[in-house]
Amino acid sequence: MLVDYHIHALGHDHFRHAEEDTPRFLQTALERGIAEVGFADHDRYHELYDFVFLRSLQPRFPRVKIRIGVEVDFHPGEEARWSRFLAGYPLDYAIGSVHDLGDWTFDHPNNVRGYDRWDPDELYRAYFLTVQAAVRSRLFSLIGHLDLIKVFGHRSRAPAVALAEETLRLLADHDQCIEINTNGWHKPVGEVYPSREILRRCFELNIPITLSSDAHEPGAVGRDVARAAELAREVGYRRIATFEEKKRRLVEL
Ligand SMILES: [Zn+2]
Ligand SMILES: [Zn+2]
């Protein structure tokens, strides 16, 4: 079964909620054989969420299950605020993502010169430490794009899988799900999140996964998700996670 649990349909920078656009996201999912989709807009757009409208689309797309989540821009120290925020919405799941180190949004193309200030291995360590705080918070159904720090192709000297090891063990200890996020294939790094090496280690540690595109437009829904499923099978996975009312269920891949 194919799913896509990371879709930005309602808002992103210049793009604002347009109700008439939302069915186009579902139409692409239908065409690509995606059985479940999760709308997971950034927390800053949540005022725009219309849960009644989103749920009302379900009868028009009986073959695509609609789930509603959120992608939280995680910063250590804000756990209590996020806990209150997440309790305030009828969500099926929440993605915890690290896009910032301090006040540096490292995944934005305008900020790419910030990488010059870092030793590459120290950068990866700092990034993964922040991910660890997200895992420890136990606030999230899944962790987004686990090795996003590579987005512009800045590689660590030590193997990334070694720098991630402590984080991967923590994920396993917390039974914390991650996603295979296909958007990395379309970024400067040209590699899925997480890398095959990290994903293989995740499988060894029995860390659950789900599949996602991180689509920001209707045409990108389900993009390369079948390829991600193939990768998951190659490293040994046979099941993926789905989410409903904050409960996780594993289904056959
Ligand atoms: Zn993200
Ligand atoms: Zn996203």
Side-chain angles (χ1 to χ4, degrees), residues 6-8 12 40 42 71 95 97 99 145 179 181 183 214-216:
H6 191 149
I7 295 171
H8 297 276
H12 203 266
H42 289 290
E71 179 177 17
I95 303 174
S97 293
H99 305 105
H145 35 62
E179 60 175 3
N181 180 320
N183 208 20
D214 218 335
H216 289 74

Side-chain angles (χ1 to χ4, degrees), residues 134-199:
V135 178
R136 281 199 188 89
S137 76
R138 297 187 187 272
L139 287 169
F140 305 113
S141 318
L142 65 132
I143 297 295
H145 35 62
L146 184 61
D147 56 356
L148 179 67
I149 194 66
K150 71 185 179 185
V151 56
F152 295 114
H154 298 82
R155 299 294 193 170
S156 50
R157 283 188 306 273
V161 67
L163 295 172
E165 173 67 16
E166 197 179 285
T167 307
L168 301 183
R169 287 179 179 276
L170 192 75
L171 288 162
D173 287 347
H174 285 67
D175 189 29
Q176 174 75 74
C177 186
I178 62 160
E179 60 175 3
I180 304 183
N181 180 320
T182 65
N183 208 20
W185 274 316
H186 304 278
K187 293 291 186 179
V189 69
E191 183 180 84
V192 68
Y193 311 116
S195 67
R196 177 188 297 263
E197 293 70 31
I198 292 178
L199 188 67

Side-chain angles (χ1 to χ4, degrees), residues 5 17 29 41 43 69 86 122-123 181 193 207 223 230 251:
Y5 264 92
H17 177 43
D41 275 276
D43 52 77
L86 293 171
E122 287 308 312
L123 174 64
N181 180 320
Y193 311 116
I207 295 166
R223 181 171 63 174
E230 199 50 48
V251 299

